[in-house]
Amino acid sequence: MTHAKDEPFVVLADARGPGKSTALRVLRDSYEGRTPVALMDGEETRFERPPPGRPAESWSPVYEALSTIAEQLTAPVAGAGRVAFPRLACGLLAVAAGGWSDREAGRLREEAERALLLSGTGGLLGRPAGRWTGKVVGRLVSSVSTSGTGPVVEAIVEAALEAFTEGMSASYRRLRRGAVWYRDYPYAAGSPKLGLVLLSRHFRAGGDARAHAERLLVRALLADLGDAGTGGGRPVILIDNVQETAGLRVMESVLRDRAAGIADRALFYAGLRGRDHPALRHATRTIDWVPGRAPSSRALLVSLPQ
């Protein structure tokens, strides 16, 4: 992914008052219908804990944030096709595969459908997509083991890859390409299946391993956006209350990749409660933005007037 020039990750800092939130809503309204746009608020309760019945080891605020952002970015835009997220869909499906019991098959089916809708399969609840989604879930349920989640993850990833191979439409081809992206996952040795299994395993491990998996999921979303035709406009992602876990980890992942030379085509604007944050210690505070070597130097911190 290459672009004419880099853009800063713009962070609106506001010690008090609704100024930053209002500014982000105005930006959302101005871009809506012209280019893909998403607005999330890190303080929403959906980012605090897993939904009822969801295994905690296969969920995180970042998982929910990426799902929320991508769902909004798939909205139709005049003069451009609908954005599809095959890489992200495959990664979210692999992460969601762990920790379920056979009594929770219905809830897992819902989560699988939610992830796969992001891949651009269209009417997922229609007959063709419904059949192979059912096959994936059925394979999972039949493979549930009391000895742990590893065999379950491998079974659902294998079933998903088989289903992608069997489909002949453009949607299935996108999913196959999305899955292939994970062959470059560390220690995957060129195997998409192993890459997705390792992604799920690292996510469930928590700590630094989960943080690494989450960064790959953020990268998957941005890689999918890089493939999208948006009628000449760059997609816009707005994150209010970026100091909260969901937004903070997404921001840190983006800044870290940009500092490492991994480009993306998204425009990011965020709202920060307060005038400063440790994650932004090297952010530029003048309009003459020139990024340095530190990841946070890729951010432009704009203090709103009180």
Side-chain angles (χ1 to χ4, degrees):
M1 294 175 285
T2 59
H3 312 287
K5 68 184 186 70
D6 290 335
E7 296 286 350
F9 192 119
V10 179
V11 180
L12 307 177
D14 189 3
R16 61 177 181 269
K20 58 180 173 30
S21 299
T22 300
L24 293 175
R25 288 195 296 270
V26 169
L27 280 171
R28 190 267 316 276
D29 294 344
S30 65
Y31 281 111
E32 201 165 32
R34 297 169 49 203
T35 194
V37 60
L39 170 61
M40 62 158 282
D41 185 344
E43 284 193 332
E44 289 186 35
T45 56
R46 73 171 78 181
F47 304 118
E48 293 179 356
R49 63 185 67 85
R54 177 71 181 270
E57 63 266 32
S58 64
W59 182 92
S60 77
V62 173
Y63 180 104
E64 187 63 31
L66 294 176
S67 299
T68 299
I69 290 169
E71 285 166 351
Q72 295 179 60
L73 292 172
T74 60
V77 174
R82 186 186 297 268
V83 178
F85 293 92
R87 296 175 182 85
L88 180 62
C90 291
L92 294 179
L93 180 61
V95 167
W100 302 87
S101 72
D102 55 356
R103 297 186 301 275
E104 298 163 329
R107 183 71 183 84
L108 175 55
R109 180 184 179 89
E110 293 176 3
E111 194 61 36
E113 289 178 344
R114 182 190 185 197
L116 292 169
L117 271 172
L118 300 176
S119 69
T121 53
L124 187 58
L125 299 179
R127 291 183 59 192
R131 280 200 300 269
W132 65 261
T133 301
K135 177 181 177 180
V136 171
V137 177
R139 180 71 174 272
L140 168 64
V141 173
S142 67
S143 303
V144 169
S145 169
T146 57
S147 62
T149 59
V152 176
V153 172
E154 292 187 15
I156 196 169
V157 169
E158 183 175 339
L161 294 175
E162 288 177 356
F164 302 161
T165 302
E166 293 169 0
M168 299 302 294
S169 70
S171 296
Y172 294 96
R173 290 193 293 272
R174 281 197 298 269
L175 281 165
R176 286 197 292 274
R177 290 195 296 270
V180 166
W181 188 74
Y182 291 90
R183 68 185 177 186
D184 295 326
Y185 195 88
Y187 306 108
S191 167
K193 175 187 172 182
L194 181 56
L196 287 163
V197 169
L198 288 171
L199 173 76
S200 180
R201 187 177 299 164
H202 292 159
F203 189 98
R204 296 195 319 276
D208 290 342
R210 172 172 287 189
H212 174 76
E214 289 176 337
R215 284 196 296 272
L216 263 293
L217 290 174
V218 174
R219 194 177 301 166
L221 179 142
L222 294 176
D224 286 332
L225 280 177
D227 291 344
T230 57
R234 293 174 66 171
V236 178
I237 299 175
L238 310 165
I239 305 174
D240 201 2
N241 287 301
V242 75
Q243 75 280 348
E244 302 298 329
T245 301
L248 185 62
R249 290 181 179 171
V250 170
M251 180 181 71
E252 289 176 328
S253 295
V254 174
L255 294 177
R256 179 169 175 165
D257 272 4
R258 288 181 174 183
I262 302 174
D264 63 80
R265 65 188 305 266
L267 297 176
F268 281 90
Y269 299 92
L272 173 72
R273 183 189 299 141
R275 298 287 182 178
D276 203 354
H277 192 281
L280 295 166
R281 62 175 58 90
H282 298 293
T284 301
R285 297 174 183 271
T286 69
I287 58 173
D288 298 322
W289 176 76
V290 179
R293 299 180 66 179
S296 61
S297 71
R298 297 274 163 170
L300 173 62
L301 193 62
V302 180
S303 294
L304 298 181
Q306 298 188 25

